[in-house]
Each structure stands twice: as structure tokens, then as C-alpha cells.
Amino acid sequence: MKILRTIAEVRAAVREVRAAGGAVGLVPTMGAFHEGHLSLMRAARAHNDLVVVSLFVNPTQFGPTEDLASYPRDEARDAALAEAEGVDVLFAPAPAEIYPDGFATTIHVSGITDVLDGASRGTFHFDGVATVVAKLLGIVHPDVAYFGQKDAQQVMVVRRVVRDLDLDVRIEACPIVREPDGLAMSSRNVYLDEHDRRRAVALSRGLDRASALAATGVRDGVVLTDAVRRVLSDAGIEPEYVELRSLTDLSPVAELDGEALLAVAARVGGARLIDNHILKASS
Ligand code: AMP
């Protein structure tokens, strides 16, 4: 596996494979790898000739009060894990390679970024995500880029950028990888002390409860979101949001009909956690 720092080096590596007719897969990450990241790398490895993983803690998607400085970083460990998954290129640029002096462009996706994490964290977050992902797609020109369904709104934002800007790439969303007790894996789980780690499972338990209700025929959005709130409240967790929203445009869903996204965000001790289920109306 090559560790590359510059855009020129990545382009050269991709060009070689492309010239031979090979398919290129990209997995964008911020490092601190866990099984969620590795599942994306495996999906990319299974379907491409060249697998590029980007490792870049993107400063523009963090707010001034967020955890940019303390975000877990361990490139040597990440490189070893990526290499073990058969990744060909780890693209780990310095911030100045991505944002050189004079950088002046921001991609803003309107509408679907006004809610959930966009409302909770602020507009800067998805502006930062959309801009860096567009850049990574421009640098690597992958056939397929792999994202985790854990960040369901992020997947929707990326798909919208690709569609609206006619980018020639397929976006693949991979299932949420969970700890044995159900907690969605996240680089931020390392912020949880033992007590908060036990409480944190309430997010997935609450979503499980709502999914079970939906399976028995419950369709009322308030009943479904209240079920999550109750499990969180029993664990002493006050959510930032628990919302049932449309999978096409993230508009609010009052009555489950077909499929909808049930999304939750909450601060648990030192970690801001998110999780979601796709609820299906039972017929
Ligand atoms: P991050 O390094 O947190 O930016 O995540 C990089 C990619 O991994 C994103 O597409 C995430 O959605 C995905 N990811 C993070 N956690 C998980 C998880 N538990 N299961 C599946 N994908 C994940």
C-alpha cells in the first residue's frame, strides 16, 4: 500500500490503473478506523481494481466549538488496518494540500441540509462535507465512492451534489456496523467513559423499539419518535433530535407510509452520537 500526500501523486496512481481499463473505488474517511470504515474498504476491494482510501480530518466541517483539535488521530494504526484490507492507496494530505492559499469555493446544498444535523450543528457542517467530497471526487475520479448509512443525511447530501453537478460517479451506501450490544460504531465512541458507554446503547435500543412498533403496524410519527425518546430518557439522555423524515427530501413524515428515515442525535457524556433506522410500514 502506498501512502500518498499530494494530489499529483494520487492522480498518477489512478491514471495508471485507468489506462489499463481498471475500475477505481474511493472510500473517504477522517481516520480512527473501526469496523465501519473497514466494511467500506472491503466493499471497495471486492469491486474495484484500485482502492483509494482518503484520510483527512476536514477542518471546514467542524464548528468552532466542536472537536477538531481532539479528534482521534493515529495514522500509523490506520495505515496498518487499511493495508490489511488490501487498500492500494492511502491518501493522507496535509490541510494546505486540500485548502491552499486563495481557496475560495464552497458547495452548499440547500433544503436537505436545513434539518437534522444541518440544523443541529449548523450550515457549515454540510457545506464542509459537500465541498471536500466534491474535491476528493475531482482528485480521484473514482467509478464508485463508498459511504456509510450511519451518516444517512451525509449520503443524501453527497448524492445530491453528484446529481446536481453531473459528476460521473456511483455512490454506494453501506449498512451501519454496530458493536455487539447495538451501539453504532463511531470514531467518537472513544470519548465515552465506562458509564456513558453503557448509556449510549439507548440510541440503538430506542431505534429498535420504534422499528418493532412499526413492524406491528404503528405508523404515527409522534408515537414512533416518542418510543425512542422514552428509551433515551430512561438512560438520562436528552436528544438533540429524534425525527421521522422522508428518504427522498428529508421532509417531516407524520404518518409512516412505505419507508422513512428515523434519525437520532444526542450528546452522551463527551461524545455527540448519531444513529438511524430506515422504518418500513408493515402492510
Ligand atoms: P468518518 O471517518 O467518521 O468520516 O467516516 C467515514 C465513512 O465511514 C463515512 O462514510 C461514514 O458514514 C462511514 N461510517 C462511519 N461509521 C460507520 C458505521 N458504524 N457503519 C458503517 N459506516 C460507517
Side-chain angles (χ1 to χ4, degrees):
M1 185 183 76
K2 291 182 199 157
I3 300 180
L4 302 180
R5 307 280 173 200
T6 69
I7 293 166
E9 289 170 310
V10 172
R11 288 216 160 118
V14 170
R15 204 176 301 126
E16 220 174 282
V17 172
R18 277 248 178 281
V24 178
L26 170 66
V27 181
T29 81
M30 300 203 301
F33 293 157
H34 50 67
E35 278 295 321
H37 298 109
L38 303 187
S39 73
L40 304 185
M41 295 177 205
R42 281 174 209 139
R45 182 69 284 165
H47 297 104
N48 296 278
D49 301 290
L50 184 80
V51 175
V52 180
V53 172
S54 60
L55 192 178
F56 182 60
V57 183
N58 176 35
T60 64
Q61 70 190 68
F62 288 78
T65 63
E66 294 189 353
D67 56 344
L68 174 63
S70 59
Y71 198 81
R73 291 171 171 86
D74 188 344
E75 187 185 302
R77 175 181 172 276
D78 286 347
L81 288 167
E83 179 150 41
E85 295 301 337
V87 168
D88 300 298
V89 171
L90 185 68
F91 175 42
E97 181 73 6
I98 299 297
Y99 302 114
D101 282 349
F103 186 88
T105 300
T106 298
I107 296 182
H108 175 71
V109 176
S110 60
I112 58 170
T113 63
D114 293 341
V115 299
L116 303 180
D117 262 27
S120 208
R121 296 182 68 171
T123 311
F124 66 86
H125 174 64
F126 285 117
D127 287 358
V129 168
T131 306
V132 82
V133 169
K135 277 186 68 82
L136 290 167
L137 295 175
I139 291 164
V140 178
H141 279 287
D143 297 274
V144 191
Y146 297 83
F147 293 85
Q149 182 62 23
K150 198 196 75 143
D151 299 272
Q153 189 176 15
Q154 172 171 280
V155 174
M156 292 178 70
V157 168
V158 170
R159 287 194 198 281
R160 195 61 68 95
V161 170
V162 165
R163 194 187 76 183
D164 288 353
L165 300 184
D166 301 300
L167 305 182
D168 193 13
V169 60
R170 190 159 64 79
I171 302 301
E172 187 82 36
C174 298
I176 301 175
V177 178
R178 298 177 178 282
E179 299 287 354
D181 67 356
L183 176 67
M185 289 198 183
S186 164
S187 302
R188 292 189 165 98
N189 290 351
V190 298
Y191 299 149
L192 298 166
D193 65 20
E194 219 176 292
H195 170 67
D196 291 328
R197 171 64 187 81
R198 278 196 300 273
R199 293 195 311 139
V201 76
L203 276 77
S204 65
R205 293 260 161 84
L207 293 167
D208 287 343
R209 182 79 57 87
S211 289
L213 285 174
T216 66
V218 174
R219 290 173 179 239
D220 186 324
V222 173
V223 174
L224 293 165
T225 52
D226 275 354
V228 181
R229 286 179 188 283
R230 209 158 317 116
V231 176
L232 292 173
S233 161
D234 288 348
I237 296 170
E238 174 71 38
E240 285 183 10
Y241 60 75
V242 181
E243 290 177 27
L244 187 65
R245 290 195 169 260
S246 152
L247 278 164
T248 45
D249 61 4
L250 290 183
S251 58
V253 170
E255 190 80 11
L256 185 60
D257 176 24
E259 290 188 340
L261 179 72
L262 180 60
V264 56
R267 184 161 283 284
V268 181
R272 182 181 184 278
L273 304 178
I274 59 172
D275 199 351
N276 69 82
H277 274 196
I278 293 176
L279 295 194
K280 295 177 179 58
S282 78
S283 43

